[in-house]
Structure formats: structure tokens, C-alpha cells
Amino acid sequence: MFRLSNLLKSTLEGKEQRSLNGSILIWNFTNRCNLSCLHCYSKSGLDESDTLSTEKILQTIPKLKKANIKFVIFSGGEPLARKDIFEIAKAFKQEGIFTYLSTNGLYVNPGNVKKIIDTFNYIGISIDGMPEVHDRFRGLSGSYEKSMKSIELIHDNGGKVGIRFTITKETIDSLSHIFQVSEEKGIDKIYISHLVYSGRGLDNLKMDLTKEQRKSAVEYIINKAFEYYEKGLDIDIVTGNMEMDSIFFLNMFTKKYPHFSQILKEKLKKWGGNSAGRNLVNINSEGDVKPDPFFPIKIGNIFENSFDDIWLDEKNELLEKLRKRPREIGGKCKECEYIEICNGGSRPRAWAIYDDIWAEDPSCYI
């Protein structure tokens, strides 16, 4: 996750960038979902059933605390499909763990919106472009309108809400629409995710951008960050699953603010790029623990071992290699001057294309 706006502001204003001091857990609490999105990495659907019981989840929460998990992103499937989701979130908050909700917004309504806002520190709602694009991408006519109404409902009730947007060949022409909507409605955050080759994202590999399309899109995103900063517009821009965006940003930033270039470069090195297996971890709907939600290899299962034993295992060879900075990556990454910044990018994409988890990220556009 590349916090573009935060890094821009902290560099130009001489402030310390926000530090995590712990790990982020993305937990897929269910594989049930009321949509059938083309890019879904978990291949969720209506016919799925929950493997994780309320009891098992609650038993695991203290283990997360012990393993220094600071943030939990509630994901799925559709996490609001679980009737116990508020009970679960309350238990996290009692342990001092921040709760983020990633939802399609279709289950948000006037009857539960205040409870959602009071329960979750932040709510991200998926919008994948203009109405017709979003509805086709999400597999449900009218879903754009329903999701947008949920954003407005949360915003009008004082909640912190953002848009989550996955950029593909199908959605790239809607990129400007996402920013326009965010500006008009005063959205707090725009999170733009690049496609990772996993789940339906692997089945639909042809959806991914060409390298020229990606350069053009990222240039647009970065210029928006510059514009918002200069105008004092408080919309946080974040990109995900493409740590090479930071290098593209460094090059554009250097041309615009050359006197701050070295400061930014040092901040980017400190950030350290792809963090899967280091301070990012996933538990999927079957209880499998993985370095990130897209990872093809699991490092354990909470039904077999305690989470803290899995995550803090210093003898796990995969975790040891993932936590090395910079990582030892093959291909063009091996000699790349920017490896200390991006850390080699996505391992699941390397696996999907080269059948080698330590190969270069095939989506690198630098």
C-alpha cells in the first residue's frame, strides 16, 4: 500500500511520515457475497458457507494482539453478510485493534449506518467506474446506484468513508470519474488497486493494463495528488498492489520539487515497498494464514496452530526470505537501482506468470 498523499505532504512540510509500528491483517471472514465481480481473488458467491465460527474468531483475537497486529481490514466475500460482524468488531476494539471495513455497500442502510460508523474506524466502498461499467464489472444491474447511496449515507452521518477502485482495461476510462465523484461528494480517501493475478483476477488476466496504459494512469493519479495538495483539498490518495508507483512518483516529484528529492528518496527507502509477510498478513475464510490475500502459498492455519505461533515463527523459511530487505529477486530486479524502494513488487504475480515466486514482478512498468 503506497500512501501517496501522506508521503507528499510529510516530505514538503518536513514532517515525519505516518508509521505503522505493527502489522496489518486482512481477514476474509466469509466467502459469501451478493455480487460476482470479475476481478475477485477469492471467487466469492452466494452459495458459499462460513467455515469460521464466531467462537473461533473471538478465540483468535488475543493471539493477534500478541503478534502485534494493529489494524484489521474486514474483508470477504462481503463481511456484512455475517450476522455476528458487529460482535467480532467490538471484540477487536476492546483489544485496542483498529477496524477497517471493506464492503460493496449493498447491505448499508439507514437502519444500520450509525452502528457501522460507530463500529468501524474507516469504511471503504468499492466503486469500479461509471454506472454501466461498475454494474457490468460487479455483475449486478443497479449496484452502482446502491453503492453510491451507501457512500452518501455514511458521509452524511459523519462517518469516514472512501472509494476502492480496481484499475483494469475495463475500468481505466472511468478513472477520471472516480476523482470527479470524490471531489463532488467530499470523499475522504481514494484507494486505487492494481490487478493481482489471483482468483478471478487470474482467470481474467487479459483485463490487466498494458505497461503504457499503467504509466498513463499512474501519471494521472500522481498529478491529482499534486493538484489536491496545492489546492489544500483533503482527499487522501493511496495506491495498492503496485509498489513501483512509488518510483514513478519519485521521478515526477524530483522534476517538480528537486530540492526535496533526496528527502523523499530516504522516506521511500524507510517505507520499504512490498510488505507481504513483513507487516502485512492475511487470514482467509478457511483459516489459512498467508503473507497477503493473493499469495499462492500458506504459512499455516489457525485451526491447526495459534496465529501468533505462525506469524512469529523465526524458522519459517518463506517468512524469513520475505522479510529480508531488500529481497533477493531475480530477473531485472536483481540489478535494479530501485529494489530498496519497491522491494521487488508482487510475488503472486511472479508466481502466476513465471511459476517462480522469486522472479521479477511481470507488471513492473519502470
Side-chain angles (χ1 to χ4, degrees), residues 102-122:
S102 178
T103 174
N104 58 43
L106 299 191
Y107 289 144
V108 179
N109 58 64
N112 66 13
V113 65
K114 290 294 289 182
K115 192 172 185 179
I116 290 171
I117 292 169
D118 291 343
T119 300
F120 296 98
N121 299 94
Y122 169 79

Side-chain angles (χ1 to χ4, degrees), residues 122-139:
Y122 169 79
I123 301 115
I125 294 183
S126 300
I127 300 289
D128 284 302
M130 294 174 285
E132 64 278 10
V133 175
H134 175 94
D135 288 0
R136 183 173 66 250
F137 206 66
R138 295 268 156 184

Side-chain angles (χ1 to χ4, degrees), residues 49 65 79 88 119 124 139 148 157-158 265 278 283 289 296 299 350 353:
S49 58
K65 177 81 172 181
I88 293 167
T119 300
M148 284 306 305
N157 280 275
K265 191 171 185 179
R278 186 175 81 242
I283 302 176
V289 181
I299 56 174
I353 299 302

Side-chain angles (χ1 to χ4, degrees), residues 3 11 19-20 22 25 34 36 67 77 109 111 172 187 190 196 228 252 257 275 283 287 294 296 310 319 323 348:
R3 302 183 187 279
T11 302
S19 178
L20 180 59
L25 166 65
N34 48 351
S36 183
N109 58 64
I172 188 172
I187 300 301
I190 304 171
V196 181
Y228 289 172
M252 288 182 65
Y257 305 106
S275 61
I283 302 176
F294 313 101
I310 297 169
L319 288 179
R323 290 169 180 171

Side-chain angles (χ1 to χ4, degrees), residues 284 287-291 295-301 304 310 316 318:
N284 70 13
D288 294 327
V289 181
K290 301 187 296 177
F295 228 82
I297 303 168
K298 66 177 185 178
I299 56 174
N301 187 288
E304 298 168 3
I310 297 169
N316 186 292
L318 177 60

